[in-house]
Amino acid sequence: MVSLLKRIVSGGQTGVDRGALDAALDMQFSCGGWCPAGRLAEDGSIPDRYPLTELPNAGYEERTLQNLLDSDGTVVIHFGSLSGGTLETCEWCVARGKPVKIIDAATTLQAAAAEEIGRFVERYNIETLNVAGPRASKASQAQQYAREAVTLMLERYVTPFLK
């Protein structure tokens, strides 16, 4: 498998978004994305360590949609049932004809999720991957799970081809 992946984006919310960005930052892999005006998140302001660009006069929905539109495909990590903004993200991908991979972290180990993400990236020739899912207040394990799954994916499917 040869990966074309060049960048990971998310909106910077607590939970899955930050887990994906943490993995990219840990691996010194290109990352970013759009965040709401004022760097708004459920825990206050998104820390400056996350290289995000504020979307003027925008909230969570506008930020989510812009990240989806600016990417080649979206991985949605969820825990059990899809709801709220996580469900909306899936619906927006389908409505706009954007590839989406939905991973139920409640029944999928991080290593298996990494394999699914790697195959998804390869199948759709994804260069910019959007990673989305619930915030920490909805799934306390979301940030750590996403960090581990995305790290494993980068280690196995991306970084070997960068050397």
Side-chain angles (χ1 to χ4, degrees):
M1 174 186 299
V2 176
S3 177
L4 299 173
L5 188 64
K6 292 185 169 96
R7 189 165 195 241
I8 292 176
V9 299
S10 86
Q13 182 58 272
T14 63
V16 169
D17 287 10
R18 288 196 197 163
L21 293 171
D22 287 338
L25 289 168
D26 291 346
M27 301 287 294
Q28 298 180 333
F29 190 76
S30 178
C31 66
W34 296 100
C35 67
R39 297 180 69 87
L40 182 66
E42 73 173 352
D43 63 345
S45 182
I46 298 168
D48 290 338
R49 85 179 223 96
Y50 299 107
L52 303 173
T53 303
E54 289 184 49
L55 192 58
N57 303 311
Y60 295 134
E61 287 187 356
E62 295 87 356
R63 167 257 3 232
T64 298
L65 183 57
Q66 196 61 57
N67 281 325
L68 185 155
L69 293 173
D70 287 352
S71 64
D72 301 308
T74 298
V75 167
V76 173
I77 297 172
H78 70 101
F79 297 80
S81 60
L82 286 165
S83 62
T86 304
L87 175 60
E88 269 186 339
T89 300
C90 296
E91 292 171 345
W92 290 343
C93 286
V94 171
R96 285 159 178 81
K98 289 282 201 168
V100 61
K101 177 65 181 170
I102 301 168
I103 298 174
D104 185 352
T107 60
T108 309
L109 295 175
Q110 290 92 326
E115 288 183 31
E116 289 185 37
I117 297 167
R119 287 193 301 265
F120 175 72
V121 165
E122 183 181 52
R123 178 177 180 194
Y124 292 100
N125 297 313
I126 292 172
E127 291 185 12
T128 300
L129 177 67
N130 182 35
V131 182
R135 58 183 65 194
S137 64
K138 303 288 184 190
S140 61
Q141 70 278 41
Q143 187 166 344
Q144 187 60 35
Y145 181 97
R147 185 180 202 157
E148 290 174 14
V150 173
T151 296
L152 287 169
M153 182 274 297
L154 289 172
E155 287 175 345
R156 293 179 186 170
Y157 300 103
V158 179
T159 55
F161 301 103
L162 297 177
K163 296 176 180 174

